[in-house]
């Protein structure tokens, strides 16, 4: 059996396009020990062509291969083969195709997992979010940005507001600002995100269910904005005028740098993650300077502020179009799902919830993420309209 044939069959299966005959063929092929090298070669190809954004360690690749091989190439006919592993193998191999990437299995999968039952439970799919936001002007009037035309949208004092061809919002200030300071608010709903260039040239990416309040022209000795939710900032450098991001209980001061702030009111903490430059974080009367590769954590329950070393790729994965998890609790993970897919989650699980590690593109329907979670055999889902039920 050629590598090309196995690759084709796995692609068909992963995309739910396989005919009955093709599904039976791949089922048989993956139980034949002689095809082990073919599958391993495909996984090696996927690894060698993996995007730099998705680093995978030797240990992780080894664990994934051992799990797939143990569940597929059965030397004993008495052992039952789990169809769920076919999709898992397909997901690993389709790494380079930009489909579901993979989930590192943290517990032994359920050998009785039914792909048919999984499809039935997830038949009511939910599409991903997109560029959606509302701009509230100084006079209280609103512009729905996702349906607004490109070009000039409004004039605020000496500042012209433009919607660019790429979809982002831009503020162009003309003559020096005088008189009353005008404020705008850009708000993203659940299932929305948006990019805005502020009057000083600072670029801001807003995640779902977030808002940013800012002046239409920066005056005075400081540049102040107010954030709820989550945003990634690339601040225009101006040593004479520090840039301040104010969130509930916290102030972040920078001169020119790249950082992410996650400050949702239903999360346990406010996290500020620095990628480039230097920032000063003040919270609950405590001040901390953080350096690139560090994250400040302001605990919402204790108001304690601490700094730790982190993998910054986890914090900005959303901005790069990815769900990226590292030993993430199912409830924390599903809060991200709620915001991006505009769904509500109901739990019918008991006891300690499982942690998960993995990467899935945010451009996929919600079923892509839920199916990969189900393949761990530790959790199951049922979708009813815009409600996701989490089952043990």
């Amino acid at each position: 059996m050629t590598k090309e044939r196995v690759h084709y069959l796995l692609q068909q299966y992963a995309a739910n396009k396989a005919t009955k005959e093709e599904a039976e063929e791949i089922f048989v092929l993956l139980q034949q020990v002689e095809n082990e090298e073919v599958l391993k070669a495909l996984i090696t190809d996927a690894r060698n062509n993996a995007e730099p954004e998705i680093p995978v360690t030797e240990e992780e690749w080894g664990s994934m291969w051992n799990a797939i091989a143990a569940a597929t190439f059965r030397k004993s006919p008495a052992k039952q083969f789990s169809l769920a592993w076919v999709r898992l193998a397909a997901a690993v191999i389709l790494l380079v195709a930009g489909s579901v990437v993979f989930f590192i299995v943290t517990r032994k999968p359920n050998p009785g997992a039914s792909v048919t039952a999984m499809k039935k439970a997830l038949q009511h799919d939910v599409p991903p979010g997109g560029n959606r936001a509302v701009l509230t002007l100084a006079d209280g009037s609103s512009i729905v940005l996702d349906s607004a035309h490109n070009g000039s949208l409004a004039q605020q004092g000496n500042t012209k507001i433009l919607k660019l061809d790429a979809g982002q919002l831009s503020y162009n200030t003309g003559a020096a600002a005088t008189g009353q300071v005008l404020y705008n608010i850009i708000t993203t709903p659940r299932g929305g995100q948006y990019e805005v260039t502020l009057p000083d040239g600072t670029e801001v990416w807003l995640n779902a269910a977030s808002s940013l309040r800012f002046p239409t022209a920066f005056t005075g000795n400081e540049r102040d904005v107010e954030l709820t939710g989550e945003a990634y900032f690339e601040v225009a450098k101006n040593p004479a005028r520090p840039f301040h991001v104010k969130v509930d209980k916290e102030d972040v001061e920078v001169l020119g740098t790249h950082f992410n702030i996650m400050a949702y009111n239903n999360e346990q903490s406010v996290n500020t993650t620095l990628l480039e430059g230097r920032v000063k974080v003040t919270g609950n009367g405590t001040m901390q300077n953080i350096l690139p590769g560090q994250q400040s954590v302001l605990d919402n329950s204790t108001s304690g502020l601490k700094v730790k070393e982190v993998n910054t790729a986890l914090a900005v994965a959303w901005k790069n179009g990815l769900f990226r998890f590292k030993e993430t609790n199912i409830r924390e993970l599903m809060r991200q799902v709620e915001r991006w897919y505009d769904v509500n989650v109901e739990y019918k699980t008991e006891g300690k919830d499982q942690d998960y590690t993995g990467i899935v593109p945010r451009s996929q329907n919600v079923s892509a993420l839920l199916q990969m979670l189900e393949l761990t055999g530790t959790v199951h889902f049922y979708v009813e309209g815009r409600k996701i039920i989490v089952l043990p």
Side-chain angles (χ1 to χ4, degrees), residues 3 14 22 45 69 103 168 170 177 197 201 220 285 309 354 362 369 377:
K3 184 167 65 173
E22 287 173 337
D45 288 346
F103 257 79
Q168 70 267 37
S170 179
T197 301
E309 303 289 330
Q354 179 72 15
R362 289 187 5 144
L369 172 58

Side-chain angles (χ1 to χ4, degrees), residues 103 106-107 267 325-338 345-357 369-374 376 378-381 388-392:
F103 257 79
T106 55
R107 281 171 55 178
E267 296 291 350
F325 310 115
K326 181 68 174 179
E327 298 177 357
T328 303
N329 183 273
I330 186 64
R331 293 175 187 258
E332 179 184 347
L333 186 158
M334 293 305 292
R335 285 196 294 271
Q336 295 186 43
V337 170
E338 283 185 310
V345 177
E346 178 182 330
Y347 296 89
K348 294 189 177 180
T349 55
E350 297 179 359
K352 185 181 183 297
D353 291 318
Q354 179 72 15
D355 293 341
Y356 300 90
T357 297
L369 172 58
L370 301 184
Q371 285 176 0
M372 294 308 293
L373 286 167
E374 287 206 351
T376 66
T378 61
V379 68
H380 300 281
F381 303 93
I388 298 174
I389 301 172
V390 183
L391 304 166

Side-chain angles (χ1 to χ4, degrees), residues 257-268:
T257 187
H258 300 178
F259 62 100
N260 190 85
I261 299 180
M262 191 275 288
Y264 290 109
N265 58 18
N266 65 341
E267 296 291 350
Q268 183 177 345

Side-chain angles (χ1 to χ4, degrees), residues 239-277:
R241 303 171 78 183
F243 190 96
H244 286 260
V245 182
K246 300 181 183 297
V247 300
D248 186 29
K249 303 179 183 178
E250 184 174 287
D251 176 88
V252 178
E253 178 183 339
V254 302
L255 297 178
T257 187
H258 300 178
F259 62 100
N260 190 85
I261 299 180
M262 191 275 288
Y264 290 109
N265 58 18
N266 65 341
E267 296 291 350
Q268 183 177 345
S269 60
V270 176
N271 300 338
T272 302
T273 309
L274 185 62
L275 283 77
E276 178 183 308

Side-chain angles (χ1 to χ4, degrees), residues 219-235:
T219 60
N221 298 324
E222 295 184 341
R223 298 170 287 167
D224 295 345
V225 302
E226 299 172 22
L227 172 71
T228 64
E230 183 169 23
Y232 172 80
F233 294 82
E234 293 188 354
V235 176

Side-chain angles (χ1 to χ4, degrees), residues 146-186:
D146 33 308
S147 60
H149 63 275
N150 292 341
S152 180
L153 296 182
Q155 186 80 25
Q156 298 280 271
N158 293 325
T159 300
K160 180 180 290 187
I161 305 173
L162 303 173
K163 182 181 178 183
L164 305 182
D165 291 343
Q168 70 267 37
L169 202 63
S170 179
Y171 280 69
N172 292 347
T173 302
T178 58
Q180 181 183 7
V181 178
L182 304 177
Y183 286 88
N184 284 184
I185 302 173
I186 182 171

